């Protein structure tokens, strides 16, 4: 708003600012909230023509300052031209919030604000980047924090900040960890997941690497701060990252790149004790190449400063080792494949995030459950609990006779299962 | 009506061959029971049979135990109606108790869960649960309100989070920090992870929290402290406390995981940290007397989980997979409480009632009352869910307040300062 040097600056005290009846009739002293109402009232006094005009003309424009000293609008240069405006400002910023929304308990100092909010409260819909709609703000906020769509957005948007640089390293490491693992492990996994790179699809980043890292958990008290693990990776990281950036899609085919990436991974992994874990575990599905593309300028200069990590293992030996690790861990592989199924579904059905409505998702949940049951029966074969189950399924008819028949129900009978504990009182 | 006697060869006559009610017909489709006429005509048959069995176990009446276990096995199903489910999950525990195989069973269950546990699955289940029921969000909103109030004016916040809700409490808190006033404080979040919480899951959660905090514009640090054996062994030096920071300890479903004998010491340790506030949220049931008074503990356990299962049934859609996962998670708790020793069975699950926790907390802390704003927030929260939920302030010796489901207190929330 252009400042009018001729304008009269009016500084009202908080009391007068908040006074509701500023316009007072000079004849009878009655107060009114608005000037128009006062004028209407004055007509009722049947004043002679001359006096009908306003006694005090207001030739100059008035601007108002906020009485609150710490406020930016306290200074005349930032005065507001509208009295109602300054009143509302004062109430909103410095006033007591007397009006409260019933639905969401949000507070307002200005009654009209409160009314306006109450009208829309609860009717508003929040849309997450993944496409899901929410009618409640709290569930929207919580969902958003954990949503895969968020992971991508913030990484792209804030690629330049320091913290994000480290995060991007994290992501990039995941990225070529994926490549490495995928190239070795693809034969172990069902065709349901296809290498994202090959198809040029931006959406899919399955997790073959997961099966490798599953067994690794810190065993003792560990303050696993992301800072420490990230910084150790940071040292090694940029070299491989720069090679990656030359051609992000070439990692599978370029033996030399693979070698450097492998050497990075294995030297880091072998060198450090279990206290530093590669944080390459679960990766947001929506982690896309765009992630990497946004960062290259950052690493352009860096790779000159760091040297390649030395490694005496050949690329072939390391590849073989990776294949071995993949082959021997059959349990986690199953889990890994289930993991990826979930991932794929989520990525494909971005618009229908609410899984219950999604037939694919349901069948995958069912698949997971079946697998769980399989796992359960596999590992609890010798457990009396599971014997109960297996015999339950076996039983087609009721055993209605004497107590001896209860052996069938329990499969082998309690005695044989737990000889020591049970003999005492059964 | 109930001619249930030991040595009875046939199933008692109170189980008639009535047809399934309409409600159960869907579940029957999924049920593993072979014979529809097995379903009891009487209501609450599961509670009756289960209690009888628990009593038989406590007096070591072996033939009766056998008989009842057999009957329960016939009738139980994890896919059936309320009684069938209760029968199923408690049958496991009773069986293990009878055969003293509780610890082994617990370990097996734990490893199954660990294998199937992923960030995606945990996220899906807990977010869905929070969408349909305020069971966990009640504690979150109350605790956040108390923490925000206690930390008013502080610039460096450090929250020690010992909870079982996978950080779903914190997005709303971060948003509140960002929007409340012009000066956004910084937040360090230290999550104490116990045995059941997978490392990969926690790491992924950490990444998400960091990203979200960036989006909110809150300076944020995340770290996980892993407790090797028992939560009771956590020490102050493990927490990475720094100077010039205001500490809050958030215990949601946490204190119950400390061994009963270690609880007072644990609270003493918390007190020595000198936090600005300690928030405690626990489920309202007393399961501490398992060894000494098995039947009493059993009854409490049955009552509580009966309510919990009923709440789940009424909150979720009938075919919900998330509900099934939550029900299965209960089985571990139930098994641990009824059939395991104090130290066996992984995480301790022996809950105490609010009044009992109050007695312990009064040793080193004094209760902090919730502000009107915080209470209003909780009330507004409850309005967003189906009817049946309400808020009740604690009375007498207890402080804090309860979430009630059909007028029965189920969750207790409180705040304390040293």
């Amino acid at each position: 708003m252009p400042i009018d040097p001729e304008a009269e600056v009016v500084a009202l005290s908080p009391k007068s600012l908040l006074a509701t009846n500023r316009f007072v009739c000079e004849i009878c002293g009655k107060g009114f909230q608005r000037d128009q109402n006062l004028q209407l009232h004055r007509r009722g006094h049947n004043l002679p023509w001359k006096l009908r005009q306003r006694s005090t003309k207001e030739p100059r424009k008035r601007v108002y300052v906020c009485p609150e000293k710490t406020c930016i609008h306290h200074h005349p240069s930032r005065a507001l031209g509208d009295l109602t405006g300054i009143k509302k400002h004062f109430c909103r910023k410095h006033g007591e919030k007397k009006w409260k929304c019933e639905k969401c308990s949000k507070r307002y100092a200005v009654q009209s604000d409160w009314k306006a909010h109450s009208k829309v409260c609860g009717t508003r819909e929040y849309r997450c980047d993944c496409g899901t709609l929410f009618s409640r703000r709290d569930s929207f906020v919580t969902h958003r924090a954990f949503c895969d769509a968020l992971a991508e957005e913030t990484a792209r948007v804030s690629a330049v900040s320091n913290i994000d640089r480290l995060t991007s390293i994290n992501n990039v490491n995941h990225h070529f960890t994926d490549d490495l693992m995928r190239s070795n492990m693809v034969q172990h996994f069902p065709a349901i997941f296809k290498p994202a790179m090959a198809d040029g699809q931006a959406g899919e980043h399955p997790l073959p690497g997961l099966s490798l890292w599953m067994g690794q958990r810190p065993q003792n008290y560990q303050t696993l701060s992301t800072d420490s693990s990230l910084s150790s990776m940071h040292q090694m990281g940029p070299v491989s990252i720069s090679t990656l950036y030359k051609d992000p899609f070439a990692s599978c085919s370029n033996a030399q790149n693979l070698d450097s990436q492998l050497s990075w991974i294995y030297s880091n992994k072998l060198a450090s004790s279990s206290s530093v874990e590669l944080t390459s575990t679960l990766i947001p599905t929506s982690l896309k190449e765009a992630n990497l593309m946004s960062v290259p300028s950052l690493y352009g200069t860096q790779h000159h400063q760091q040297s390649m990590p030395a490694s005496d293992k050949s690329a072939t030996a390391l590849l073989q080792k990776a294949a071995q690790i993949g082959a021997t861990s059959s349990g986690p592989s199953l889990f890994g494949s289930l993991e990826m199924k979930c991932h794929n579904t989520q990525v494909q059905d971005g618009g229908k995030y609410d899984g219950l409505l999604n037939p694919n998702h349901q069948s995958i949940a069912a698949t997971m459950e079946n697998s769980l049951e399989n796992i359960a029966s596999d590992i609890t074969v010798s457990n009396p609990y599971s014997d109960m189950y297996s015999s339950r399924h076996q039983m087609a008819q009721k055993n209605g006779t004497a107590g001896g028949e209860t052996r069938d129900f329990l499969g082998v009978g309690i005695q044989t299962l737990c000889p020591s504990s049970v003999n005492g009182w059964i | 009506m109930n001619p249930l006697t030991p040595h009875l060869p046939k199933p008692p006559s109170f189980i008639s061959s009535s047809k399934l009610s309409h409600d159960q017909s869907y579940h029957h489709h999924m049920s593993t029971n072979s014979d529809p006429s097995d379903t009891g005509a009487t209501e609450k048959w599961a509670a009756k049979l289960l209690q009888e069995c628990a009593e038989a176990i406590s007096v070591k009446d072996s033939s009766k135990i056998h008989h009842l276990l057999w009957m329960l096995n016939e009738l139980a199903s994890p896919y059936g109606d309320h009684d069938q489910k209760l029968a199923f999950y408690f049958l496991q525990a009773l069986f293990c108790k009878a055969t003293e195989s509780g610890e082994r069973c617990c370990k097996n269950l734990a490893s199954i869960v660990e294998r199937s546990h992923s960030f995606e699955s945990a996220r899906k289940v807990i977010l869905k649960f929070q969408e349909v029921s305020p069971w966990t969000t009640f504690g979150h909103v109350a605790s956040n309100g108390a923490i925000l109030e206690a930390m008013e004016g502080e610039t460096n916040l450090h929250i020690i989070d010992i909870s079982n809700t996978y950080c779903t409490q914190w997005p709303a808190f971060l948003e509140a920090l960002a929007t409340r006033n012009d000066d956004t404080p910084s937040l360090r979040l230290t999550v104490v992870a116990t045995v059941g919480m997978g490392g990969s899951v926690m790491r992924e959660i950490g990444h998400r929290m960091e990203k979200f905090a960036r989006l909110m514009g809150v300076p944020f640090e995340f770290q996980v402290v892993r407790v090797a054996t028992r939560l009771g062994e956590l020490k102050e030096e493990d927490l990475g406390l720094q100077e010039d920071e205001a500490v809050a300890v958030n215990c949601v479903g946490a204190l119950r995981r400390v061994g009963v004998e270690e609880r007072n010491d644990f609270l003493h340790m918390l007190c020595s940290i000198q936090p600005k506030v300690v928030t405690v949220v626990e489920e309202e049931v007393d399961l501490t007397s398992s060894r000494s008074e098995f039947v009493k503990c059993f009854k409490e356990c049955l009552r509580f989980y009966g309510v919990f299962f009923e709440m789940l049934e009424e909150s979720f859609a009938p075919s919900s997979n998330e509900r099934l996962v939550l029900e299965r998670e209960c089985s571990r708790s139930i098994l641990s409480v009824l059939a395991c020793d104090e130290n066996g069975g992984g995480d301790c699950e022996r809950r105490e009632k609010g009044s009992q926790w109050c007695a312990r907390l009064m040793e080193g802390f004094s209760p902090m009352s919730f502000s009107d704003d915080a209470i209003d927030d909780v009330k507004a929260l409850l309005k967003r869910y189906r009817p049946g939920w309400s808020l009740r302030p604690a009375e007498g010796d207890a402080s804090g307040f309860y979430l009630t489901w059909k007028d029965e207190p189920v969750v207790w929330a409180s705040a304390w300062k040293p």
Side-chain angles (χ1 to χ4, degrees), chain A residues 100 105 107 137-138 146 148 164 223 282 339 369 389 392 409, chain B residues 73 88 116 118 123 175 204 208 214 223 321 373 376-377 384:
Chain A
K100 189 165 195 172
S105 76
R107 297 202 119 130
R137 187 178 172 81
D138 52 349
F146 289 98
D148 297 332
D164 290 292
T223 305
L282 293 164
E339 253 291 317
E369 275 187 51
Y389 269 91
R392 239 152 62 83
F409 143 64
Chain B
N73 187 47
F88 178 80
S116 63
S118 71
R123 169 179 70 180
E175 197 203 18
E204 183 61 27
R208 304 295 173 114
R214 257 201 303 286
Q223 65 170 359
N321 282 316
D373 274 352
D376 285 341
D377 282 343
R384 295 182 212 131

mmCIF file of all heavy atoms in Angstrom, chain A residues 100 105 107 137-138 146 148 164 223 282 339 369 389 392 409, chain B residues 73 88 116 118 123 175 204 208 214 223 321 373 376-377 384:
data_model
loop_
_atom_site.group_PDB
_atom_site.id
_atom_site.type_symbol
_atom_site.label_atom_id
_atom_site.label_comp_id
_atom_site.label_asym_id
_atom_site.label_seq_id
_atom_site.Cartn_x
_atom_site.Cartn_y
_atom_site.Cartn_z
ATOM 1 N N LYS A 100 -13.652 -20.561 20.163
ATOM 2 C CA LYS A 100 -13.058 -21.878 19.957
ATOM 3 C C LYS A 100 -13.930 -22.785 19.102
ATOM 4 O O LYS A 100 -15.113 -22.911 19.325
ATOM 5 C CB LYS A 100 -12.868 -22.539 21.320
ATOM 6 C CG LYS A 100 -12.060 -23.801 21.253
ATOM 7 C CD LYS A 100 -11.619 -24.191 22.626
ATOM 8 C CE LYS A 100 -10.527 -25.214 22.548
ATOM 9 N NZ LYS A 100 -9.947 -25.484 23.827
ATOM 10 N N SER A 105 -11.198 -27.781 18.076
ATOM 11 C CA SER A 105 -10.697 -27.004 19.221
ATOM 12 C C SER A 105 -9.656 -25.972 18.845
ATOM 13 O O SER A 105 -8.814 -25.607 19.661
ATOM 14 C CB SER A 105 -10.202 -27.908 20.346
ATOM 15 O OG SER A 105 -8.952 -28.454 20.031
ATOM 16 N N ARG A 107 -8.454 -22.237 18.204
ATOM 17 C CA ARG A 107 -8.911 -21.004 18.859
ATOM 18 C C ARG A 107 -8.760 -19.778 17.985
ATOM 19 O O ARG A 107 -7.808 -19.674 17.210
ATOM 20 C CB ARG A 107 -8.098 -20.763 20.128
ATOM 21 C CG ARG A 107 -8.279 -21.845 21.167
ATOM 22 C CD ARG A 107 -7.926 -21.293 22.508
ATOM 23 N NE ARG A 107 -9.077 -21.361 23.391
ATOM 24 C CZ ARG A 107 -9.033 -21.874 24.605
ATOM 25 N NH1 ARG A 107 -7.905 -22.318 25.069
ATOM 26 N NH2 ARG A 107 -10.104 -21.914 25.362
ATOM 27 N N ARG A 137 -7.766 -33.866 9.541
ATOM 28 C CA ARG A 137 -6.435 -33.332 9.396
ATOM 29 C C ARG A 137 -5.389 -34.175 10.119
ATOM 30 O O ARG A 137 -4.289 -34.367 9.625
ATOM 31 C CB ARG A 137 -6.376 -31.899 9.948
ATOM 32 C CG ARG A 137 -5.051 -31.267 9.645
ATOM 33 C CD ARG A 137 -4.945 -29.840 10.123
ATOM 34 N NE ARG A 137 -3.583 -29.389 9.945
ATOM 35 C CZ ARG A 137 -3.075 -28.958 8.792
ATOM 36 N NH1 ARG A 137 -3.845 -28.913 7.727
ATOM 37 N NH2 ARG A 137 -1.813 -28.597 8.698
ATOM 38 N N ASP A 138 -5.760 -34.678 11.285
ATOM 39 C CA ASP A 138 -4.751 -35.426 12.052
ATOM 40 C C ASP A 138 -4.341 -36.701 11.326
ATOM 41 O O ASP A 138 -3.150 -37.038 11.272
ATOM 42 C CB ASP A 138 -5.249 -35.731 13.466
ATOM 43 C CG ASP A 138 -6.610 -36.402 13.476
ATOM 44 O OD1 ASP A 138 -7.273 -36.439 12.408
ATOM 45 O OD2 ASP A 138 -7.028 -36.893 14.539
ATOM 46 N N PHE A 146 4.466 -40.600 6.799
ATOM 47 C CA PHE A 146 4.946 -41.940 6.495
ATOM 48 C C PHE A 146 4.743 -42.325 5.042
ATOM 49 O O PHE A 146 5.122 -43.417 4.634
ATOM 50 C CB PHE A 146 4.241 -42.964 7.390
ATOM 51 C CG PHE A 146 4.671 -42.906 8.821
ATOM 52 C CD1 PHE A 146 3.917 -42.228 9.761
ATOM 53 C CD2 PHE A 146 5.845 -43.505 9.216
ATOM 54 C CE1 PHE A 146 4.327 -42.164 11.076
ATOM 55 C CE2 PHE A 146 6.263 -43.446 10.535
ATOM 56 C CZ PHE A 146 5.494 -42.773 11.465
ATOM 57 N N ASP A 148 5.036 -42.734 1.122
ATOM 58 C CA ASP A 148 6.152 -42.851 0.188
ATOM 59 C C ASP A 148 6.259 -41.627 -0.696
ATOM 60 O O ASP A 148 7.339 -41.256 -1.123
ATOM 61 C CB ASP A 148 5.962 -44.095 -0.695
ATOM 62 C CG ASP A 148 5.984 -45.351 0.143
ATOM 63 O OD1 ASP A 148 6.631 -45.341 1.192
ATOM 64 O OD2 ASP A 148 5.343 -46.326 -0.275
ATOM 65 N N ASP A 164 20.362 -32.707 3.528
ATOM 66 C CA ASP A 164 19.830 -33.488 2.421
ATOM 67 C C ASP A 164 20.915 -34.100 1.584
ATOM 68 O O ASP A 164 20.724 -35.124 0.956
ATOM 69 C CB ASP A 164 18.946 -32.603 1.537
ATOM 70 C CG ASP A 164 17.686 -32.259 2.264
ATOM 71 O OD1 ASP A 164 16.893 -33.167 2.472
ATOM 72 O OD2 ASP A 164 17.554 -31.088 2.665
ATOM 73 N N THR A 223 24.041 -46.654 20.162
ATOM 74 C CA THR A 223 23.420 -45.401 19.771
ATOM 75 C C THR A 223 23.631 -45.255 18.285
ATOM 76 O O THR A 223 24.650 -44.763 17.835
ATOM 77 C CB THR A 223 24.066 -44.232 20.528
ATOM 78 O OG1 THR A 223 23.981 -44.532 21.918
ATOM 79 C CG2 THR A 223 23.325 -42.954 20.242
ATOM 80 N N LEU A 282 15.164 -50.632 4.187
ATOM 81 C CA LEU A 282 13.956 -50.417 3.401
ATOM 82 C C LEU A 282 14.049 -49.110 2.663
ATOM 83 O O LEU A 282 14.434 -48.104 3.228
ATOM 84 C CB LEU A 282 12.749 -50.419 4.310
ATOM 85 C CG LEU A 282 12.507 -51.794 4.917
ATOM 86 C CD1 LEU A 282 11.573 -51.664 6.091
ATOM 87 C CD2 LEU A 282 11.926 -52.718 3.884
ATOM 88 N N GLU A 339 8.002 -58.681 0.316
ATOM 89 C CA GLU A 339 8.238 -57.255 0.451
ATOM 90 C C GLU A 339 8.031 -56.563 -0.871
ATOM 91 O O GLU A 339 7.376 -55.570 -0.997
ATOM 92 C CB GLU A 339 9.684 -57.052 0.884
ATOM 93 C CG GLU A 339 9.815 -56.644 2.313
ATOM 94 C CD GLU A 339 9.284 -55.258 2.538
ATOM 95 O OE1 GLU A 339 9.562 -54.370 1.703
ATOM 96 O OE2 GLU A 339 8.565 -55.053 3.504
ATOM 97 N N GLU A 369 -0.175 -63.849 4.219
ATOM 98 C CA GLU A 369 -0.711 -64.654 5.315
ATOM 99 C C GLU A 369 -0.441 -66.118 5.098
ATOM 100 O O GLU A 369 -0.081 -66.841 6.014
ATOM 101 C CB GLU A 369 -2.202 -64.429 5.444
ATOM 102 C CG GLU A 369 -2.510 -63.226 6.280
ATOM 103 C CD GLU A 369 -3.979 -63.113 6.529
ATOM 104 O OE1 GLU A 369 -4.569 -64.107 6.966
ATOM 105 O OE2 GLU A 369 -4.528 -62.046 6.249
ATOM 106 N N TYR A 389 -2.543 -77.954 15.848
ATOM 107 C CA TYR A 389 -3.066 -77.487 14.576
ATOM 108 C C TYR A 389 -3.139 -78.597 13.554
ATOM 109 O O TYR A 389 -4.136 -78.805 12.900
ATOM 110 C CB TYR A 389 -2.169 -76.388 14.008
ATOM 111 C CG TYR A 389 -2.599 -75.033 14.446
ATOM 112 C CD1 TYR A 389 -2.072 -74.464 15.591
ATOM 113 C CD2 TYR A 389 -3.555 -74.340 13.725
ATOM 114 C CE1 TYR A 389 -2.471 -73.232 15.981
ATOM 115 C CE2 TYR A 389 -3.949 -73.095 14.128
ATOM 116 C CZ TYR A 389 -3.399 -72.547 15.247
ATOM 117 O OH TYR A 389 -3.804 -71.322 15.650
ATOM 118 N N ARG A 392 -5.787 -80.883 14.225
ATOM 119 C CA ARG A 392 -7.100 -80.277 14.008
ATOM 120 C C ARG A 392 -7.520 -80.419 12.564
ATOM 121 O O ARG A 392 -8.646 -80.734 12.253
ATOM 122 C CB ARG A 392 -7.065 -78.795 14.388
ATOM 123 C CG ARG A 392 -8.052 -78.452 15.455
ATOM 124 C CD ARG A 392 -7.610 -77.296 16.261
ATOM 125 N NE ARG A 392 -7.471 -76.079 15.500
ATOM 126 C CZ ARG A 392 -8.476 -75.274 15.210
ATOM 127 N NH1 ARG A 392 -9.690 -75.587 15.551
ATOM 128 N NH2 ARG A 392 -8.256 -74.155 14.560
ATOM 129 N N PHE A 409 -6.473 -86.217 19.315
ATOM 130 C CA PHE A 409 -6.661 -84.763 19.204
ATOM 131 C C PHE A 409 -5.321 -84.036 19.282
ATOM 132 O O PHE A 409 -5.022 -83.125 18.551
ATOM 133 C CB PHE A 409 -7.644 -84.314 20.280
ATOM 134 C CG PHE A 409 -7.318 -82.975 20.900
ATOM 135 C CD1 PHE A 409 -7.343 -81.817 20.136
ATOM 136 C CD2 PHE A 409 -6.988 -82.869 22.237
ATOM 137 C CE1 PHE A 409 -7.063 -80.587 20.712
ATOM 138 C CE2 PHE A 409 -6.711 -81.643 22.794
ATOM 139 C CZ PHE A 409 -6.749 -80.507 22.040
ATOM 140 N N ASN B 73 -10.782 -76.579 21.524
ATOM 141 C CA ASN B 73 -10.147 -76.764 20.236
ATOM 142 C C ASN B 73 -11.169 -76.985 19.130
ATOM 143 O O ASN B 73 -11.024 -76.497 18.017
ATOM 144 C CB ASN B 73 -9.193 -77.958 20.311
ATOM 145 C CG ASN B 73 -8.375 -78.089 19.052
ATOM 146 O OD1 ASN B 73 -7.824 -77.117 18.564
ATOM 147 N ND2 ASN B 73 -8.315 -79.289 18.511
ATOM 148 N N PHE B 88 -9.934 -69.300 20.710
ATOM 149 C CA PHE B 88 -8.722 -69.653 19.985
ATOM 150 C C PHE B 88 -7.481 -69.100 20.655
ATOM 151 O O PHE B 88 -6.531 -69.828 20.945
ATOM 152 C CB PHE B 88 -8.824 -69.125 18.554
ATOM 153 C CG PHE B 88 -7.612 -69.397 17.733
ATOM 154 C CD1 PHE B 88 -7.409 -70.639 17.165
ATOM 155 C CD2 PHE B 88 -6.650 -68.419 17.545
ATOM 156 C CE1 PHE B 88 -6.283 -70.904 16.414
ATOM 157 C CE2 PHE B 88 -5.520 -68.670 16.795
ATOM 158 C CZ PHE B 88 -5.338 -69.916 16.225
ATOM 159 N N SER B 116 8.064 -61.692 9.384
ATOM 160 C CA SER B 116 7.056 -61.080 8.524
ATOM 161 C C SER B 116 6.959 -59.585 8.729
ATOM 162 O O SER B 116 6.226 -58.897 8.041
ATOM 163 C CB SER B 116 5.694 -61.704 8.820
ATOM 164 O OG SER B 116 5.354 -61.413 10.161
ATOM 165 N N SER B 118 7.664 -55.852 8.523
ATOM 166 C CA SER B 118 8.345 -54.908 7.645
ATOM 167 C C SER B 118 7.784 -53.530 7.933
ATOM 168 O O SER B 118 6.750 -53.397 8.573
ATOM 169 C CB SER B 118 8.079 -55.252 6.182
ATOM 170 O OG SER B 118 6.733 -54.940 5.861
ATOM 171 N N ARG B 123 3.354 -50.142 9.152
ATOM 172 C CA ARG B 123 2.720 -48.858 8.862
ATOM 173 C C ARG B 123 1.253 -49.040 8.522
ATOM 174 O O ARG B 123 0.375 -48.349 9.034
ATOM 175 C CB ARG B 123 3.456 -48.188 7.703
ATOM 176 C CG ARG B 123 2.722 -46.973 7.157
ATOM 177 C CD ARG B 123 3.458 -46.309 6.027
ATOM 178 N NE ARG B 123 3.470 -47.097 4.812
ATOM 179 C CZ ARG B 123 4.047 -46.718 3.684
ATOM 180 N NH1 ARG B 123 4.669 -45.559 3.636
ATOM 181 N NH2 ARG B 123 4.030 -47.479 2.624
ATOM 182 N N GLU B 175 4.203 -30.895 13.645
ATOM 183 C CA GLU B 175 3.373 -29.859 13.054
ATOM 184 C C GLU B 175 3.030 -28.802 14.095
ATOM 185 O O GLU B 175 3.065 -27.603 13.824
ATOM 186 C CB GLU B 175 2.092 -30.470 12.481
ATOM 187 C CG GLU B 175 1.405 -29.549 11.516
ATOM 188 C CD GLU B 175 -0.068 -29.841 11.365
ATOM 189 O OE1 GLU B 175 -0.629 -30.512 12.235
ATOM 190 O OE2 GLU B 175 -0.639 -29.374 10.374
ATOM 191 N N GLU B 204 13.959 -47.163 8.947
ATOM 192 C CA GLU B 204 13.090 -46.574 7.930
ATOM 193 C C GLU B 204 12.209 -45.511 8.548
ATOM 194 O O GLU B 204 12.016 -44.431 7.981
ATOM 195 C CB GLU B 204 12.236 -47.671 7.291
ATOM 196 C CG GLU B 204 11.349 -47.185 6.165
ATOM 197 C CD GLU B 204 12.129 -46.588 5.018
ATOM 198 O OE1 GLU B 204 13.300 -46.977 4.824
ATOM 199 O OE2 GLU B 204 11.589 -45.719 4.314
ATOM 200 N N ARG B 208 11.872 -41.414 7.602
ATOM 201 C CA ARG B 208 10.623 -40.712 7.328
ATOM 202 C C ARG B 208 10.443 -39.527 8.267
ATOM 203 O O ARG B 208 9.992 -38.459 7.866
ATOM 204 C CB ARG B 208 9.426 -41.660 7.489
ATOM 205 C CG ARG B 208 9.467 -42.915 6.647
ATOM 206 C CD ARG B 208 9.402 -42.609 5.177
ATOM 207 N NE ARG B 208 9.598 -43.791 4.375
ATOM 208 C CZ ARG B 208 8.665 -44.322 3.598
ATOM 209 N NH1 ARG B 208 7.487 -43.780 3.503
ATOM 210 N NH2 ARG B 208 8.936 -45.403 2.897
ATOM 211 N N ARG B 214 11.899 -31.975 8.067
ATOM 212 C CA ARG B 214 12.434 -30.996 7.116
ATOM 213 C C ARG B 214 11.298 -30.263 6.440
ATOM 214 O O ARG B 214 11.327 -29.054 6.269
ATOM 215 C CB ARG B 214 13.285 -31.708 6.067
ATOM 216 C CG ARG B 214 14.760 -31.540 6.302
ATOM 217 C CD ARG B 214 15.524 -31.794 5.042
ATOM 218 N NE ARG B 214 15.269 -33.121 4.488
ATOM 219 C CZ ARG B 214 15.745 -34.256 5.002
ATOM 220 N NH1 ARG B 214 16.477 -34.229 6.078
ATOM 221 N NH2 ARG B 214 15.485 -35.413 4.418
ATOM 222 N N GLN B 223 17.595 -40.605 16.693
ATOM 223 C CA GLN B 223 18.489 -41.713 16.993
ATOM 224 C C GLN B 223 17.716 -42.851 17.658
ATOM 225 O O GLN B 223 16.718 -42.639 18.331
ATOM 226 C CB GLN B 223 19.651 -41.271 17.886
ATOM 227 C CG GLN B 223 19.241 -40.820 19.262
ATOM 228 C CD GLN B 223 20.437 -40.631 20.186
ATOM 229 O OE1 GLN B 223 21.579 -40.856 19.813
ATOM 230 N NE2 GLN B 223 20.180 -40.223 21.413
ATOM 231 N N ASN B 321 -7.806 -57.246 7.135
ATOM 232 C CA ASN B 321 -6.575 -57.962 7.421
ATOM 233 C C ASN B 321 -5.814 -57.323 8.571
ATOM 234 O O ASN B 321 -5.141 -57.998 9.337
ATOM 235 C CB ASN B 321 -5.676 -57.984 6.186
ATOM 236 C CG ASN B 321 -6.154 -59.011 5.184
ATOM 237 O OD1 ASN B 321 -6.504 -60.118 5.543
ATOM 238 N ND2 ASN B 321 -6.176 -58.617 3.925
ATOM 239 N N ASP B 373 -6.809 -26.816 27.133
ATOM 240 C CA ASP B 373 -6.600 -26.995 25.692
ATOM 241 C C ASP B 373 -6.333 -28.447 25.350
ATOM 242 O O ASP B 373 -6.890 -29.000 24.398
ATOM 243 C CB ASP B 373 -5.397 -26.152 25.226
ATOM 244 C CG ASP B 373 -5.802 -24.743 24.901
ATOM 245 O OD1 ASP B 373 -7.025 -24.477 24.894
ATOM 246 O OD2 ASP B 373 -4.925 -23.912 24.647
ATOM 247 N N ASP B 376 -9.431 -30.425 25.678
ATOM 248 C CA ASP B 376 -10.332 -30.144 24.549
ATOM 249 C C ASP B 376 -9.873 -30.848 23.293
ATOM 250 O O ASP B 376 -10.690 -31.344 22.508
ATOM 251 C CB ASP B 376 -10.387 -28.637 24.289
ATOM 252 C CG ASP B 376 -11.227 -27.922 25.326
ATOM 253 O OD1 ASP B 376 -12.036 -28.603 26.001
ATOM 254 O OD2 ASP B 376 -11.066 -26.697 25.481
ATOM 255 N N ASP B 377 -8.567 -30.891 23.116
ATOM 256 C CA ASP B 377 -8.034 -31.601 21.947
ATOM 257 C C ASP B 377 -8.427 -33.067 21.982
ATOM 258 O O ASP B 377 -8.797 -33.654 20.959
ATOM 259 C CB ASP B 377 -6.496 -31.494 21.911
ATOM 260 C CG ASP B 377 -6.036 -30.143 21.403
ATOM 261 O OD1 ASP B 377 -6.863 -29.436 20.792
ATOM 262 O OD2 ASP B 377 -4.864 -29.797 21.612
ATOM 263 N N ARG B 384 -14.243 -37.573 16.497
ATOM 264 C CA ARG B 384 -14.007 -37.953 15.106
ATOM 265 C C ARG B 384 -14.156 -39.453 14.889
ATOM 266 O O ARG B 384 -14.063 -39.923 13.760
ATOM 267 C CB ARG B 384 -12.600 -37.537 14.685
ATOM 268 C CG ARG B 384 -12.421 -36.046 14.690
ATOM 269 C CD ARG B 384 -11.031 -35.660 14.230
ATOM 270 N NE ARG B 384 -10.607 -34.443 14.901
ATOM 271 C CZ ARG B 384 -9.444 -34.292 15.503
ATOM 272 N NH1 ARG B 384 -8.578 -35.263 15.516
ATOM 273 N NH2 ARG B 384 -9.153 -33.153 16.083
#
